[in-house]
Amino acid sequence: MASGRLRIYLGAAPGVGKTYDMLCEAQRRKARGTDVVVGLVETHGRPRTAALLDGLEIMPRRTVSYHGATFTEMDVDAILARAPAVVLVDELAHTTVPGCRNAKRWQDVHELLNAGIDVLSTLNIQHLESLNDVVERITGVPQRETVPDAVVRAAEQVELVDMTPEALRRRMVHGNIYGPDKVDAALGNYFRVGNLTALRELALLWLADKVDEQLDHYRTEHQISGIWETRERVVVALTGGPEGDTLIRRAARIADRAKGADLLAVHVTRSDGLAGASPAHLARQRVLVESLGGSYHQVVGDDIPIALLEFARAENATQLVLGASRRGRLAHMIDPGIGVTTTKLSGPIDVHLVTHEEVGKGRLLPRRARGLTLRRRLAGVLAAVVLLPLLTLALTHQRTGLNLTSNVLGFLIVVVAVALVGGLLPALLAAVGGLLLLNYYFIQPVHRFIVAESNNVLALLAFLAVAVMVSSVVDLAARRTSQAVRATAEAEMLSTLAGSVLRGEQALPALLTQVRETFGLTSVALLERAAEGGQNGARKADRHGWRVVDSAGPDPCLRPDEADTEVPVSENLTLVLRGRPLPAADRRVLTAFAAQAAVALEQRRLAQVAAEAGPLAEADRTRRALLTAVSHDLRSPLATASAAVANLRGNEVEWSAEEQAELLATAEEALDHLARLVENLLDMSRLQAGRLSVFPAPVGLDDVIPGVLRDLGPAARDVAVTVPDDLPLAYADPALLERVIANLLSNAARYSPPGQPPLITASALRDRIQLRVIDRGPGLPAEDRDQAFTPFQRLGDTDNASGIGLGLALSRGLTEAMGGTLTPEDTPGGGLTMVVALPVATVGDSTQPADGAA
């Protein structure tokens, strides 16, 4: 059975019209005769949205009971049994009530898709897992419900429901999103113009990336190599010269003019060398490119213009930035240069020739001679075939004026010229041909291959020996030049490689990417033999016992026998390459790459070990601080309770009933203080160990605050409380919430001046409940606020006599464990306000362990 198709309506914020557009699409499909049902749609009391449900079949919801409360969820089994063609499922990121078959609604949708049912759903950009922390930094509101990006990227269609911030705020003012009592608070917080603009940009950029992936997949699938100017991509070519900094900055300015443009820098290392390519310059320029948001690449190519254009076309680049030539006028007359050649061959790619201070100054080093390529050898053979007959014809016309010595020298000059052009083999061919021509045309008897005089035999042999020696020397010099140039290119490559390894934890993927680009491969992977039973087990593992440590490129090799080229690093580590077999000459550089890959892997693992050791060191520091700090706090209430009990049991003094009651009250208060201290210590240790159990449930603040005031006793007698009667329920753990409020209230009472007790207020702001504990004390400077939440630390303390300094740290930890936030603010007129923000309980909220709780 074919899987169903998923269509997601993506919005930047609530209220842009995702559910409305989804229902409109459902009505269109129903009008075309498609079997459409509503699995679950939340109208949020919006009449225009609710009106679109008319005429659509609505599947009954499933009722779920949990901890005495009743909730409704989408009935997946009923939908599967009904088997419609299309089902509407609103709010893809929703967390279902415990007792349902799946924890997340997107998992329900996955089941429907597997059954061949098409699904229409909605999602806000803040619920994407990859953007969750970004959205929290922008809006200050954490999102507890997220959807993995892979789920959304796998959707067949993602439609952006867009609306300008101004239009969305107008909808808010007109009451089309929230009720009138929430409009002002929403407009002043989450729905500020800056927030909405940033969220809209995130949605547009994320969707643009998905569209870009789809386009790349389509181009690859249809083998389209031409440039499609869907997004500006600027490639800047670096020669390794000092002008590279100017070119990079110029290319960055070009990219900045097009919003979302990509900047790529590429350096071509060619087999005939690149004069003036300084590793130091390239290393500095790489850092500059990456600091400007670009990426650095290095490729190998015999023809620089062709290599540049192949790279640009592979990256679907739209613009190519080159530096104006550093060569002089004479060099331009002989060869038009890379810039002119690239421009002629660029096709639809725009080429920018940028002037710089190095223009016309020439190269730093003389251009090295080319190696003996096949083209040069063929040119040498052609020169021999053409020059020998022409020389013979010219010398026969001067037979009477020239002797044999002159003729031999003429043929020797031709052989040397052929050797300079084509090397040894064409020169040997020219030497043999010249020997035969001299014998046939210029040595008696002529026109016969016979030598009558012995001195002529010696002359011919000398000619042949000199020709062979000269040819050998020329060929050897050319080969040595080629080898030296290749060694230079390898040194440049290894220098760049060393810089990649030193870049830190991302060294391994960068290194593998460089290998792939350098040798033009499809994929490169580092494989490690799976170790079972320790080291000996690793030795005995068969050829299938390999795992991919890291890779670059699509479809990496999973085993060494799948690779076109394999470079073993150690007994259990090997570098595998796919794309084309590489010659033996490249294995020396590959071996260096493989060795550096092993070093990069070891660096990454050492960094992981160091990261794991960091929390252990912090825990050890906390343990030492705890042992130092708790000595007074534990001793003081114990001593108070012990003294009160000892006085009651003593026979020396007769205590009245009133005095006995006072002593008992003193002991009880000391023991209560001790119990709270121990509970705080235990909770802090559970928080730091990640073992704190959190059971959030819908809870009313008017049920929690009276219990807190009652437990605090006389210290909270004068506390003022202002909680609206219609305040929504908060989604929090009632017991932990009591601890948070008690700690904050105790802290506020400690610093409040006489006659000005603390104040507790609460209000609702969109999907958050804000509880404020306000005091009129000395306040807290902004620069000291982070330190105030550090465990075992009191501001201004020089000893532990004033307490352990755990209340604020524990309160923030408990609040965040419940999915909320605790932030300090200045109280108008002086003092400190602690703001506890908790999520509003929704229909699907019920008592369940929070994410990450044990």
Side-chain angles (χ1 to χ4, degrees):
M1 179 185 297
S3 297
R5 294 170 295 181
L6 175 61
R7 181 171 182 172
I8 296 176
Y9 291 85
L10 179 67
V16 296
K18 303 179 300 299
T19 304
Y20 185 89
D21 284 6
M22 180 179 68
L23 289 170
C24 289
E25 176 64 19
Q27 292 286 1
R28 283 192 293 270
R29 296 196 184 194
K30 183 177 183 298
R32 295 196 298 264
T34 305
D35 184 14
V36 181
V37 302
V38 176
L40 188 145
V41 167
E42 299 289 354
T43 63
H44 299 290
R46 298 163 189 166
R48 295 183 59 191
T49 302
L52 289 173
L53 288 170
D54 294 342
L56 295 176
E57 179 183 350
I58 302 177
M59 298 295 297
R61 298 191 184 188
R62 176 187 177 191
T63 301
V64 182
S65 297
Y66 190 78
H67 284 260
T70 301
F71 306 92
T72 60
E73 287 288 355
M74 182 174 64
D75 195 337
V76 180
D77 291 325
I79 297 173
L80 292 174
R82 169 69 172 74
V86 180
V87 61
L88 275 62
V89 182
D90 208 1
E91 297 182 358
L92 187 63
H94 174 75
T95 300
T96 59
V97 177
C100 296
R101 60 195 300 159
N102 295 308
K104 299 289 186 179
R105 186 167 290 167
W106 62 264
Q107 295 171 328
D108 292 340
V109 169
H110 187 67
E111 285 196 37
L112 299 176
L113 294 173
N114 288 338
I117 302 173
D118 293 347
V119 178
L120 305 182
S121 190
T122 63
L123 182 71
N124 280 329
I125 193 66
Q126 66 262 30
H127 294 299
L128 279 171
E129 180 65 42
S130 65
L131 299 177
N132 186 256
D133 57 338
V134 179
V135 173
E136 182 177 355
R137 287 196 296 270
I138 293 172
T139 64
V141 179
Q143 299 295 330
R144 295 180 294 118
E145 297 177 325
T146 59
V147 177
D149 286 47
V151 174
V152 186
R153 291 188 183 278
E156 184 182 65
Q157 297 182 60
V158 178
E159 180 175 330
L160 180 66
V161 183
D162 190 28
M163 182 175 290
T164 64
E166 293 76 13
L168 186 57
R169 286 170 59 85
R170 281 197 300 271
R171 289 199 65 200
M172 178 73 70
V173 172
H174 294 158
N176 295 330
I177 300 177
Y178 296 141
D181 57 326
K182 299 181 180 179
V183 170
D184 291 338
L187 291 175
N189 290 274
Y190 193 89
F191 283 80
R192 294 195 301 267
V193 173
N195 287 357
L196 296 177
T197 303
L199 292 174
R200 187 186 186 204
E201 183 176 13
L202 283 177
L204 292 170
L205 291 176
W206 190 92
L207 189 61
D209 287 338
K210 176 175 170 55
V211 173
D212 202 43
E213 290 178 4
Q214 293 175 332
L215 179 60
D216 288 342
H217 177 72
Y218 179 86
R219 284 165 52 85
T220 302
E221 189 178 55
H222 292 77
Q223 299 181 347
I224 299 174
S225 59
I227 302 300
W228 287 11
E229 300 181 13
T230 55
R231 177 189 290 192
E232 291 292 336
R233 286 185 173 87
V234 182
V235 174
V236 52
L238 303 178
T239 65
E243 75 281 358
D245 296 3
T246 302
L247 301 183
I248 292 170
R249 292 188 176 94
R250 177 60 173 161
R253 290 195 296 272
I254 294 174
D256 287 341
R257 294 194 187 107
K259 188 67 174 179
D262 296 331
L263 174 64
L264 303 92
V266 60
H267 170 63
V268 179
T269 301
R270 61 185 184 183
S271 59
D272 64 350
L274 184 59
S278 167
H281 286 160
L282 288 175
R284 187 184 71 252
Q285 290 160 11
R286 175 174 188 162
V287 173
L288 177 60
V289 168
E290 294 178 350
S291 69
L292 294 173
S295 58
Y296 177 86
H297 307 266
Q298 184 166 323
V299 298
V300 174
D302 291 332
D303 191 312
I304 290 183
I306 297 298
L308 284 175
L309 292 173
E310 286 180 351
F311 175 82
R313 293 188 180 106
E315 297 293 336
N316 200 28
T318 57
Q319 302 188 61
L320 182 60
V321 177
L322 303 174
S325 178
R326 287 183 285 149
R327 302 181 308 154
R329 294 183 179 179
L330 180 60
H332 275 292
M333 296 174 61
I334 300 174
D335 185 359
I338 294 173
V340 175
T341 306
T342 304
T343 303
K344 289 181 179 179
L345 302 176
S346 63
I349 302 177
D350 296 335
V351 179
H352 302 264
L353 287 177
V354 179
T355 59
H356 49 83
E357 295 180 354
E358 304 298 321
V359 172
K361 293 185 178 180
R363 296 184 178 271
L364 299 180
L365 296 175
R367 191 183 182 91
R368 301 186 181 197
R370 291 179 177 268
L372 294 178
T373 62
L374 178 61
R375 180 179 298 178
R376 283 192 56 181
R377 295 181 186 278
L378 293 177
V381 172
L382 180 62
V385 172
V386 172
L387 293 178
L388 288 176
L390 290 178
L391 178 63
T392 303
L393 181 62
L395 293 178
T396 53
H397 285 293
Q398 300 292 330
R399 189 186 301 274
T400 57
L402 298 175
N403 56 21
L404 180 60
T405 302
S406 300
N407 295 332
V408 168
L409 290 176
F411 277 95
L412 186 60
I413 292 174
V414 171
V415 171
V416 172
V418 171
L420 292 173
V421 174
L424 180 61
L425 292 179
L428 292 178
L429 176 63
V432 173
L435 178 67
L436 296 177
L437 290 173
L438 281 171
N439 187 9
Y440 190 79
Y441 286 102
F442 301 105
I443 295 179
Q444 297 296 330
V446 295
H447 301 151
R448 297 180 62 185
F449 291 105
I450 298 175
V451 181
E453 298 181 8
S454 57
N455 63 329
N456 291 337
V457 174
L458 180 61
L460 290 177
L461 293 177
F463 163 76
L464 183 61
V466 172
V468 170
M469 288 187 291
V470 171
S471 301
S472 299
V473 170
V474 172
D475 184 75
L476 180 62
R479 290 180 182 275
R480 291 290 183 265
T481 301
S482 178
Q483 293 171 0
V485 169
R486 181 176 180 84
T488 301
E490 292 177 356
E492 292 177 356
M493 197 179 304
L494 293 176
S495 173
T496 304
L497 165 64
S500 299
V501 173
L502 294 175
R503 302 187 73 81
E505 59 185 40
Q506 298 298 324
L508 185 55
L511 187 149
L512 297 180
T513 300
Q514 185 178 351
V515 175
R516 176 173 172 262
E517 293 175 351
T518 298
F519 295 100
L521 301 171
T522 303
S523 66
V524 177
L526 184 65
L527 301 183
E528 185 176 38
R529 194 187 300 273
E532 298 179 0
Q535 189 175 2
N536 294 332
R539 288 196 182 103
K540 294 178 181 178
D542 60 13
R543 66 188 181 90
H544 297 286
W546 294 89
R547 69 180 185 89
V548 178
V549 178
D550 215 325
S551 64
D555 193 22
C557 300
L558 302 180
R559 300 192 304 270
D561 55 4
E562 297 178 357
D564 294 320
T565 305
E566 177 189 1
V567 183
V569 182
S570 64
E571 184 178 6
N572 298 322
L573 205 63
T574 185
L575 187 69
V576 292
L577 304 91
R578 171 176 287 173
R580 61 184 177 90
L582 295 180
D586 291 331
R587 294 188 68 87
R588 179 174 59 180
V589 177
L590 281 175
T591 302
F593 272 103
Q596 293 286 19
V599 173
L601 176 61
E602 185 66 20
Q603 284 182 342
R604 186 166 73 180
R605 289 177 173 171
L606 289 175
Q608 291 173 350
V609 172
E612 293 172 358
L616 295 177
E618 179 63 20
D620 184 65
R621 185 197 67 80
T622 302
R623 188 181 300 109
R624 291 195 302 269
L626 173 62
L627 293 175
T628 303
V630 300
S631 58
H632 175 271
D633 281 63
L634 291 177
R635 187 184 303 114
S636 179
L638 280 174
T640 302
S642 178
V645 173
N647 287 330
L648 288 172
R649 295 186 60 187
N651 299 322
E652 294 82 1
V653 180
E654 288 290 335
W655 302 101
S656 65
E658 183 179 351
E659 291 171 335
Q660 289 179 5
E662 185 176 352
L663 287 173
L664 287 173
T666 301
E668 183 180 12
E669 182 180 353
L671 292 175
D672 287 343
H673 177 69
L674 180 62
R676 287 196 299 270
L677 173 62
V678 173
E679 287 178 358
N680 285 348
L681 291 172
L682 291 175
D683 284 343
M684 179 56 70
S685 65
R686 294 189 188 104
L687 276 173
Q688 293 181 336
R691 296 293 183 182
L692 180 68
S693 296
V694 183
F695 297 94
V699 59
L701 294 184
D702 52 355
D703 295 330
V704 175
I705 295 176
V708 174
L709 298 178
R710 183 174 58 254
D711 292 341
L712 289 179
R717 183 178 302 138
D718 298 327
V719 173
V721 180
T722 304
V723 177
D725 295 335
D726 59 348
L727 188 71
L729 299 180
Y731 187 61
D733 186 315
L736 298 184
L737 182 56
E738 286 187 5
R739 302 283 303 285
V740 170
I741 298 175
N743 284 336
L744 295 179
L745 196 55
S746 298
N747 190 73
R750 181 182 299 114
Y751 293 105
S752 293
Q756 293 182 311
L759 170 65
I760 299 178
T761 66
S763 61
L765 178 62
R766 206 175 70 84
D767 60 347
R768 311 292 284 181
I769 298 293
Q770 291 188 344
L771 173 72
R772 287 176 164 81
V773 179
I774 304 169
D775 68 63
R776 294 291 181 178
L780 187 63
E783 61 272 14
D784 294 334
R785 288 178 180 174
D786 289 338
Q787 187 180 1
F789 290 96
T790 303
F792 317 117
Q793 173 68 42
R794 285 186 182 275
L795 293 180
D797 283 354
T798 57
D799 54 38
N800 297 315
S802 60
I804 196 171
L806 197 60
L808 290 182
L810 180 61
S811 297
R812 172 171 279 185
L814 295 178
T815 304
E816 292 176 350
M818 295 186 290
T821 59
L822 173 59
T823 55
E825 295 179 355
D826 291 327
T827 301
L832 182 66
T833 298
M834 288 293 182
V835 182
V836 179
L838 296 169
V840 173
T842 61
V843 176
D845 289 333
S846 59
T847 304
Q848 55 181 318
D851 294 342

